Amino acid sequence: MGLFYINIIFFLLLCTTFLAESADPLGDFCNKDTEISKGSPISSNIAALLAKLVSNIASNGYVTTSYGKDPNQVYGLAQCRGDVDTKDCSACIQDAANQIRQRCPNEADARIWYDYCFLRYNTKNFIGEIDTSYGIFYYNINNVSDPESFKKALGNLVDKVRAQAVETKNEGLGKGETKLSEFVTLYALAQCTRDLSKIDCAQCVAIAVGSFETICRDRQGCRVLYSSCYVRYELYPFFFPIGSNNASASQNQIVVVYP
Ligand SMILES: *[C@@H]1O[C@H](CO)[C@@H](O)[C@H](O)[C@H]1NC(C)=O
Ligand SMILES: *[C@@H]1O[C@H](CO)[C@@H](O)[C@H](O)[C@H]1NC(C)=O
C-alpha cells in the first residue's frame, strides 16, 4: 500500500454504548469512478443482488454471487466474522444491504464495514482478489505503558492468529489471547474474506499488522479494515465466545481513513 494519504478524516468517537452492531457501520467506500444513474439496469441488478446476499447469508455466514448479464452484471460478497452467531450475522447483513444503498446510491463499486460483517459489490468481478487499496483504521487513544514488551507479546499473538486464519478449516478466522500480566490480557483477531487463497489471506493480514507499528504504534487497541481482511487487537475481550462475559463495548476510539 502506498502511503499517499490523500484525505485524512478524524472523528472522535467516545463510544459508550454496548456493542450496538445493528447501529452504525464502521465505514463505507463509494467508488466515485463508477457512477451509475438511479434507474439504470446496473442499479436494479444491484437491488436484486442485495436481496440474494441477504437471503443466502444465514446458511454459513458467507455468500458470493452475481446477478444480471454482461455488461450490467454485478458481483457481490457478504461475509460475517466467523465468531458471530447466525442471528447477529443476518441482522448485520440486512443492515449493510440497506445502508450501502443509502450511502452509495450512485456507485457500481460500493463497500460497507461493520464490526460483525462486511458487504461489497461491483460490476468488475473482484471475487478471489486481494484488495488492500482502501483501509479504515480505528485506534484507542490510550497508549500502552510498556511498549517494548507489548510489541513482543502482540507480535507473537498476531503470528498465531494469522496462522489460524490461513488454515482452510478455520474459514478465514483466527483469534486468540495472551496474558500480559496477572490482570491484563491482550486479545487479537484476524478475519480474511473466504474467497481468498491462503497466501493472499496471509498477505492481507501482514499488511494490516504493518499498521500496528505505524498508525497504531503503542496504542492499547487497533482495528484495520480492508476489503479482504479485518484485523484487531484490544486489551479487553471483543470476540465470541468470551466465557461468561459479554464482548465489551468499544472504548476511546479514534478513526482514520486512508483512501
Ligand atoms: C499516545 O502517544 C502519542 C504519540 O506519542 C501521543 O501523541 C498521545 O498524546 C498519547 N496518548 C495519550 C492518551 O497519552
Ligand atoms: C450479557 O449481555 C446480556 C444482554 O445485554 C445481559 O443480559 C447479560 O447479563 C450479560 N452477561 C454478563 C455476564 O455480563
Side-chain angles (χ1 to χ4, degrees):
M1 184 183 69
L3 295 179
F4 302 106
Y5 301 160
I6 301 161
N7 192 5
I8 303 179
I9 306 164
F10 291 94
F11 298 107
L12 179 58
L13 298 176
L14 291 169
C15 299
T16 49
T17 46
F18 181 83
L19 282 178
E21 295 309 327
S22 57
D24 292 333
L26 294 175
D28 58 53
F29 174 65
C30 311
N31 188 341
K32 300 296 177 202
D33 298 332
T34 63
E35 286 227 351
I36 48 169
S37 60
K38 273 214 172 66
S40 66
I42 293 175
S43 189
S44 50
N45 285 345
I46 289 170
L49 177 91
L50 286 171
K52 256 175 109 175
L53 291 174
V54 168
S55 67
N56 293 330
I57 193 68
S59 59
N60 73 353
Y62 167 67
V63 188
T64 57
T65 190
S66 75
Y67 195 89
K69 290 219 159 35
D70 211 29
N72 299 317
Q73 188 172 10
V74 286
Y75 299 84
L77 179 150
Q79 184 177 320
C80 292
R81 242 172 55 192
D83 59 314
V84 170
D85 70 24
T86 307
K87 189 166 146 279
D88 287 343
C89 174
S90 292
C92 189
I93 293 298
Q94 179 78 65
D95 287 339
N98 292 336
Q99 282 291 321
I100 199 168
R101 295 257 48 204
Q102 286 176 32
R103 289 166 178 244
C104 310
N106 303 314
E107 287 84 13
D109 174 11
R111 313 165 196 195
I112 192 162
W113 289 262
Y114 290 76
D115 241 338
Y116 285 3
C117 71
F118 170 68
L119 186 154
R120 74 181 284 200
Y121 52 77
N122 197 351
T123 44
K124 180 178 164 285
N125 186 359
F126 58 86
I127 312 293
E129 284 178 17
I130 182 171
D131 186 337
T132 55
S133 60
Y134 181 83
I136 300 169
F137 306 82
Y138 280 74
Y139 60 82
N140 191 306
I141 53 173
N142 296 315
N143 299 315
V144 297
S145 52
D146 186 351
E148 278 315 307
S149 66
F150 183 81
K151 202 169 116 180
K152 218 169 132 196
L154 179 61
N156 289 336
L157 182 58
V158 296
D159 282 351
K160 270 195 256 176
V161 160
R162 179 163 65 145
Q164 281 179 30
V166 301
E167 281 291 327
T168 311
K169 68 170 171 28
N170 294 330
E171 299 180 330
L173 176 70
K175 58 190 170 85
E177 57 189 79
T178 187
K179 260 188 169 335
L180 302 182
S181 73
E182 195 182 346
F183 304 108
V184 182
T185 303
L186 174 63
Y187 302 83
L189 177 145
Q191 175 74 64
C192 292
T193 55
R194 286 160 61 178
D195 58 322
L196 288 195
S197 66
K198 274 184 174 207
I199 194 155
D200 284 346
C201 173
Q203 193 188 345
C204 189
V205 175
I207 293 168
V209 167
S211 323
F212 290 176
E213 265 303 284
T214 53
I215 296 158
C216 298
R217 190 182 182 88
D218 302 339
R219 302 293 187 178
Q220 288 184 5
C222 184
R223 254 178 291 187
V224 181
L225 302 112
Y226 286 131
S227 300
S228 290
C229 64
Y230 168 110
V231 185
R232 181 177 185 185
Y233 75 82
E234 303 287 353
L235 292 178
Y236 54 83
F238 62 90
F239 52 72
F240 303 99
I242 316 169
S244 58
N245 296 314
N246 286 314
S248 301
S250 301
Q251 295 161 9
N252 304 326
Q253 301 289 306
I254 281 187
V255 59
V256 188
V257 181
Y258 296 127

